[in-house]
PDB file of all heavy atoms in Angstrom:
ATOM      1  N   ALA A 255      -4.132 -18.009   8.302  1.00 87.00           N
ATOM      2  CA  ALA A 255      -3.632 -19.018   9.232  1.00 87.00           C
ATOM      3  C   ALA A 255      -3.812 -18.504  10.651  1.00 87.00           C
ATOM      4  O   ALA A 255      -4.069 -17.313  10.875  1.00 87.00           O
ATOM      5  CB  ALA A 255      -2.159 -19.294   8.957  1.00 87.00           C
ATOM      6  N   ARG A 256      -3.686 -19.394  11.607  1.00 86.00           N
ATOM      7  CA  ARG A 256      -3.563 -18.983  12.998  1.00 86.00           C
ATOM      8  C   ARG A 256      -2.097 -18.637  13.259  1.00 86.00           C
ATOM      9  O   ARG A 256      -1.210 -19.008  12.498  1.00 86.00           O
ATOM     10  CB  ARG A 256      -3.993 -20.114  13.933  1.00 86.00           C
ATOM     11  CG  ARG A 256      -5.445 -20.523  13.779  1.00 86.00           C
ATOM     12  CD  ARG A 256      -6.382 -19.522  14.393  1.00 86.00           C
ATOM     13  NE  ARG A 256      -7.759 -19.991  14.362  1.00 86.00           N
ATOM     14  CZ  ARG A 256      -8.777 -19.316  14.865  1.00 86.00           C
ATOM     15  NH1 ARG A 256      -8.566 -18.142  15.417  1.00 86.00           N
ATOM     16  NH2 ARG A 256     -10.002 -19.800  14.808  1.00 86.00           N
ATOM     17  N   ALA A 257      -1.871 -17.929  14.351  1.00 86.00           N
ATOM     18  CA  ALA A 257      -0.503 -17.657  14.773  1.00 86.00           C
ATOM     19  C   ALA A 257      -0.017 -18.773  15.677  1.00 86.00           C
ATOM     20  O   ALA A 257      -0.803 -19.426  16.355  1.00 86.00           O
ATOM     21  CB  ALA A 257      -0.429 -16.329  15.504  1.00 86.00           C
ATOM     22  N   ALA A 258       1.289 -18.991  15.659  1.00 86.00           N
ATOM     23  CA  ALA A 258       1.892 -20.020  16.500  1.00 86.00           C
ATOM     24  C   ALA A 258       3.142 -19.470  17.163  1.00 86.00           C
ATOM     25  O   ALA A 258       3.862 -18.653  16.580  1.00 86.00           O
ATOM     26  CB  ALA A 258       2.253 -21.251  15.662  1.00 86.00           C
ATOM     27  N   ARG A 260       6.824 -20.316  18.612  1.00 79.00           N
ATOM     28  CA  ARG A 260       7.879 -21.301  18.436  1.00 79.00           C
ATOM     29  C   ARG A 260       9.105 -20.873  19.244  1.00 79.00           C
ATOM     30  O   ARG A 260       9.328 -19.683  19.483  1.00 79.00           O
ATOM     31  CB  ARG A 260       8.263 -21.427  16.955  1.00 79.00           C
ATOM     32  CG  ARG A 260       7.110 -21.886  16.063  1.00 79.00           C
ATOM     33  CD  ARG A 260       6.837 -23.370  16.250  1.00 79.00           C
ATOM     34  NE  ARG A 260       5.841 -23.859  15.302  1.00 79.00           N
ATOM     35  CZ  ARG A 260       4.551 -23.976  15.561  1.00 79.00           C
ATOM     36  NH1 ARG A 260       4.086 -23.617  16.751  1.00 79.00           N
ATOM     37  NH2 ARG A 260       3.710 -24.435  14.653  1.00 79.00           N
ATOM     38  N   TRP A 265      10.005 -17.621  10.407  1.00 82.00           N
ATOM     39  CA  TRP A 265       9.373 -16.621   9.563  1.00 82.00           C
ATOM     40  C   TRP A 265       9.838 -15.203   9.868  1.00 82.00           C
ATOM     41  O   TRP A 265       9.964 -14.384   8.972  1.00 82.00           O
ATOM     42  CB  TRP A 265       7.851 -16.702   9.714  1.00 82.00           C
ATOM     43  CG  TRP A 265       7.211 -17.521   8.646  1.00 82.00           C
ATOM     44  CD1 TRP A 265       6.991 -18.867   8.673  1.00 82.00           C
ATOM     45  CD2 TRP A 265       6.734 -17.072   7.382  1.00 82.00           C
ATOM     46  NE1 TRP A 265       6.395 -19.278   7.507  1.00 82.00           N
ATOM     47  CE2 TRP A 265       6.224 -18.191   6.689  1.00 82.00           C
ATOM     48  CE3 TRP A 265       6.674 -15.836   6.758  1.00 82.00           C
ATOM     49  CZ2 TRP A 265       5.670 -18.114   5.420  1.00 82.00           C
ATOM     50  CZ3 TRP A 265       6.115 -15.744   5.491  1.00 82.00           C
ATOM     51  CH2 TRP A 265       5.627 -16.875   4.831  1.00 82.00           C
ATOM     52  N   LEU A 293      -0.407 -11.909   9.627  1.00 91.00           N
ATOM     53  CA  LEU A 293      -1.293 -12.970   9.158  1.00 91.00           C
ATOM     54  C   LEU A 293      -2.024 -12.564   7.881  1.00 91.00           C
ATOM     55  O   LEU A 293      -2.251 -13.388   6.992  1.00 91.00           O
ATOM     56  CB  LEU A 293      -2.298 -13.328  10.256  1.00 91.00           C
ATOM     57  CG  LEU A 293      -1.683 -13.973  11.504  1.00 91.00           C
ATOM     58  CD1 LEU A 293      -2.730 -14.086  12.612  1.00 91.00           C
ATOM     59  CD2 LEU A 293      -1.096 -15.342  11.175  1.00 91.00           C
ATOM     60  N   HIS A 296       0.496 -12.737   5.059  1.00 94.00           N
ATOM     61  CA  HIS A 296       0.713 -14.151   4.767  1.00 94.00           C
ATOM     62  C   HIS A 296      -0.416 -14.700   3.897  1.00 94.00           C
ATOM     63  O   HIS A 296      -0.183 -15.427   2.923  1.00 94.00           O
ATOM     64  CB  HIS A 296       0.814 -14.901   6.099  1.00 94.00           C
ATOM     65  CG  HIS A 296       0.981 -16.368   5.990  1.00 94.00           C
ATOM     66  ND1 HIS A 296      -0.048 -17.262   6.232  1.00 94.00           N
ATOM     67  CD2 HIS A 296       2.060 -17.128   5.665  1.00 94.00           C
ATOM     68  CE1 HIS A 296       0.391 -18.489   6.071  1.00 94.00           C
ATOM     69  NE2 HIS A 296       1.657 -18.448   5.731  1.00 94.00           N
ATOM     70  N   PHE A 337       5.947 -10.388  10.955  1.00 94.00           N
ATOM     71  CA  PHE A 337       6.158 -11.384  12.005  1.00 94.00           C
ATOM     72  C   PHE A 337       7.381 -11.013  12.840  1.00 94.00           C
ATOM     73  O   PHE A 337       7.406 -11.219  14.057  1.00 94.00           O
ATOM     74  CB  PHE A 337       6.328 -12.780  11.407  1.00 94.00           C
ATOM     75  CG  PHE A 337       5.046 -13.483  11.106  1.00 94.00           C
ATOM     76  CD1 PHE A 337       4.719 -13.812   9.798  1.00 94.00           C
ATOM     77  CD2 PHE A 337       4.153 -13.815  12.119  1.00 94.00           C
ATOM     78  CE1 PHE A 337       3.524 -14.460   9.500  1.00 94.00           C
ATOM     79  CE2 PHE A 337       2.961 -14.465  11.841  1.00 94.00           C
ATOM     80  CZ  PHE A 337       2.642 -14.788  10.520  1.00 94.00           C
ATOM     81  N   LEU A 348       7.059 -15.570  16.826  1.00 92.00           N
ATOM     82  CA  LEU A 348       5.706 -15.776  16.298  1.00 92.00           C
ATOM     83  C   LEU A 348       5.777 -16.064  14.809  1.00 92.00           C
ATOM     84  O   LEU A 348       6.571 -15.451  14.090  1.00 92.00           O
ATOM     85  CB  LEU A 348       4.851 -14.529  16.537  1.00 92.00           C
ATOM     86  CG  LEU A 348       4.708 -14.072  17.981  1.00 92.00           C
ATOM     87  CD1 LEU A 348       3.921 -12.765  18.049  1.00 92.00           C
ATOM     88  CD2 LEU A 348       4.028 -15.137  18.825  1.00 92.00           C
ATOM     89  N   GLU A 349       4.959 -16.990  14.361  1.00 91.00           N
ATOM     90  CA  GLU A 349       4.937 -17.337  12.951  1.00 91.00           C
ATOM     91  C   GLU A 349       3.577 -17.947  12.618  1.00 91.00           C
ATOM     92  O   GLU A 349       2.778 -18.230  13.516  1.00 91.00           O
ATOM     93  CB  GLU A 349       6.057 -18.311  12.607  1.00 91.00           C
ATOM     94  CG  GLU A 349       5.981 -19.636  13.339  1.00 91.00           C
ATOM     95  CD  GLU A 349       7.144 -20.561  12.971  1.00 91.00           C
ATOM     96  OE1 GLU A 349       8.272 -20.065  12.853  1.00 91.00           O
ATOM     97  OE2 GLU A 349       6.891 -21.766  12.814  1.00 91.00           O
ATOM     98  N   PRO A 350       3.275 -18.161  11.336  1.00 92.00           N
ATOM     99  CA  PRO A 350       1.977 -18.743  10.994  1.00 92.00           C
ATOM    100  C   PRO A 350       1.953 -20.246  11.216  1.00 92.00           C
ATOM    101  O   PRO A 350       2.925 -20.950  10.937  1.00 92.00           O
ATOM    102  CB  PRO A 350       1.824 -18.412   9.507  1.00 92.00           C
ATOM    103  CG  PRO A 350       3.240 -18.345   9.000  1.00 92.00           C
ATOM    104  CD  PRO A 350       4.045 -17.769  10.134  1.00 92.00           C
ATOM    105  N   ALA A 351       0.831 -20.732  11.719  1.00 90.00           N
ATOM    106  CA  ALA A 351       0.579 -22.168  11.746  1.00 90.00           C
ATOM    107  C   ALA A 351       0.229 -22.607  10.326  1.00 90.00           C
ATOM    108  O   ALA A 351       0.025 -21.778   9.438  1.00 90.00           O
ATOM    109  CB  ALA A 351      -0.559 -22.468  12.717  1.00 90.00           C
ATOM    110  N   PRO A 352       0.166 -23.906  10.056  1.00 91.00           N
ATOM    111  CA  PRO A 352      -0.198 -24.357   8.710  1.00 91.00           C
ATOM    112  C   PRO A 352      -1.520 -23.738   8.254  1.00 91.00           C
ATOM    113  O   PRO A 352      -2.471 -23.635   9.028  1.00 91.00           O
ATOM    114  CB  PRO A 352      -0.317 -25.880   8.878  1.00 91.00           C
ATOM    115  CG  PRO A 352       0.644 -26.195   9.972  1.00 91.00           C
ATOM    116  CD  PRO A 352       0.548 -25.039  10.928  1.00 91.00           C
ATOM    117  N   PHE A 353      -1.555 -23.326   6.997  1.00 91.00           N
ATOM    118  CA  PHE A 353      -2.732 -22.667   6.434  1.00 91.00           C
ATOM    119  C   PHE A 353      -3.756 -23.729   6.051  1.00 91.00           C
ATOM    120  O   PHE A 353      -3.478 -24.607   5.242  1.00 91.00           O
ATOM    121  CB  PHE A 353      -2.333 -21.856   5.195  1.00 91.00           C
ATOM    122  CG  PHE A 353      -3.314 -20.781   4.810  1.00 91.00           C
ATOM    123  CD1 PHE A 353      -3.006 -19.451   5.004  1.00 91.00           C
ATOM    124  CD2 PHE A 353      -4.540 -21.101   4.259  1.00 91.00           C
ATOM    125  CE1 PHE A 353      -3.899 -18.454   4.654  1.00 91.00           C
ATOM    126  CE2 PHE A 353      -5.447 -20.117   3.905  1.00 91.00           C
ATOM    127  CZ  PHE A 353      -5.129 -18.792   4.108  1.00 91.00           C
TER     128      PHE A 353
END
Side-chain angles (χ1 to χ4, degrees):
R256 298 285 186 178
R260 299 285 186 264
W265 264 89
L293 294 171
H296 178 256
F337 276 116
L348 302 176
E349 61 181 41
F353 200 108

